[in-house]
């Protein structure tokens, strides 16, 4: 099952409309519908709100929805891999997954878990961190070389 299918099943089991569940989570009923259709994926904060409103752990919403990322897709270059390694050192476990939507699309994300809690980073978030790191290398090297 997808995250959306899990949300729909739990919502219906509790006799809630999309609008009512949305109100309980302080989001729109249309957003609930979008999650249920698989058109969008809820961020971690929204998953936490949904789990509280539906009285289930977050893992129940994501159960069966994610598949481990195959090795062929896990690497997008050394800098990208370095960001994932650094996240692992800083926060603990970094597990790559793919969510497949009802519309046939898929989206890669990373569950980052550590002592301070857990959060989700999407593929584009990792790419943005890698771009930021790359952009900061030249100015940093220049500054360091002037000091020596």
């Amino acid at each position: 099952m997808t995250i959306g299918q899990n949300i729909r099943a739990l919502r219906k089991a509790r006799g809630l409309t999309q609008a009512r569940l949305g109100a309980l989570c302080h989001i729109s009923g249309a957003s609930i519908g979008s999650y249920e259709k698989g058109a969008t994926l809820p961020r971690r904060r929204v998953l936490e709100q949904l789990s509280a409103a539906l009285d289930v752990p977050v893992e129940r919403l994501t159960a069966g929805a994610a598949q481990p990322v195959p090795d062929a897709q896990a690497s997008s270059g050394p800098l990208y891999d370095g960001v994932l390694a650094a996240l692992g050192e800083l926060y603990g476990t970094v597990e790559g997954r793919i969510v497949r939507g009802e519309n046939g699309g898929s989206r890669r994300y990373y569950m980052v878990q550590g002592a301070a809690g857990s959060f989700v980073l999407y593929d584009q978030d990792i790419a943005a961190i890698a771009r930021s790191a790359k952009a900061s290398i030249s100015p940093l090297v220049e500054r360091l070389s002037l000091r020596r």
Side-chain angles (χ1 to χ4, degrees), residues 7 18 22 27-37 40 42 46 50:
I7 293 169
Q18 290 177 346
I27 59 176
S28 70
S31 292
I32 300 295
S34 180
Y35 301 145
E36 289 183 359
K37 290 177 198 163
T40 58
V46 174
L50 288 165

Side-chain angles (χ1 to χ4, degrees), residues 8-22:
R8 177 181 289 137
L10 291 164
R11 175 182 60 79
K12 287 187 174 197
R14 282 156 182 75
L16 298 171
T17 64
Q18 290 177 346
R20 180 65 186 137
L21 179 57

